[in-house]
Amino acid sequence: MFSVVIAIGIAATLAGCTAGGSAKAGARTSAIAVLDSKDLGDILVDGKGNVLYAFKPDNASTVSCTFGCATVWPPLSVADNASTAAGDGADVALLSKLPDHAGGHVVTYNGWPLYRYAADKAPGQHRGQDVFLNGGYWYVMKPDGKPLMP
């Protein structure tokens, strides 16, 4: 449990950082951190401790979960002029972003768009692991940039 608190604290700290010295004052980063989950090992979380997922149909670095799908699986989004920070254990070289049809950008990790799951009600909860919904399987994202596929 202690490692959960530490990871969430790091992520929360990173979430408050601006996107760099030349960024506009309103541009905030989206933080990615690593959480040591008892049953899944190290997994990625956002700045609030929400577990991050990859959608199997998202290939070739495309965002395929849109509209109704995105209400159940909201993408990790950043504004056009914002960036993403990597906490301990997350690889900044694997972070990027893709344009979001709804505006702004969706954060990617190793080319995979990142999503949260609406049914996860507490930090570190991962009810979406290996779940088939919205036309494909969902997997927790690992710090090595690979979804946790069985």
Side-chain angles (χ1 to χ4, degrees):
M1 185 66 176
F2 180 72
S3 60
V4 172
V5 173
I6 295 298
I8 292 170
I10 290 169
T13 300
L14 289 172
C17 300
T18 59
S22 63
K24 294 180 182 177
R28 295 232 178 236
T29 61
S30 175
I32 305 292
V34 175
L35 171 74
D36 182 13
S37 169
K38 276 198 293 187
D39 51 344
L40 299 180
D42 288 345
I43 58 176
L44 293 185
V45 294
D46 70 6
K48 295 181 180 178
N50 298 306
V51 172
L52 297 171
Y53 296 88
F55 188 38
K56 179 84 166 145
D58 281 346
N59 53 23
S61 297
T62 59
V63 178
S64 60
C65 179
T66 58
F67 303 106
C69 176
T71 61
V72 177
W73 298 94
L76 182 61
S77 300
V78 293
D80 288 336
N81 59 347
S83 64
T84 305
D88 286 343
D91 187 345
V92 70
L94 297 179
L95 287 170
S96 190
K97 57 187 179 179
L98 293 169
D100 187 356
H101 78 283
H105 288 83
V106 173
V107 176
T108 64
Y109 197 77
N110 196 28
W112 290 92
L114 297 175
Y115 304 88
R116 291 152 299 172
Y117 184 35
D120 288 346
K121 300 297 183 189
Q125 205 168 53
H126 48 77
R127 294 179 177 169
Q129 170 59 15
D130 198 22
V131 169
F132 187 88
L133 282 175
N134 299 98
Y137 280 95
W138 295 87
Y139 302 107
V140 169
M141 181 57 74
K142 301 291 281 179
D144 66 0
K146 297 176 185 170
L148 180 59
M149 296 183 194

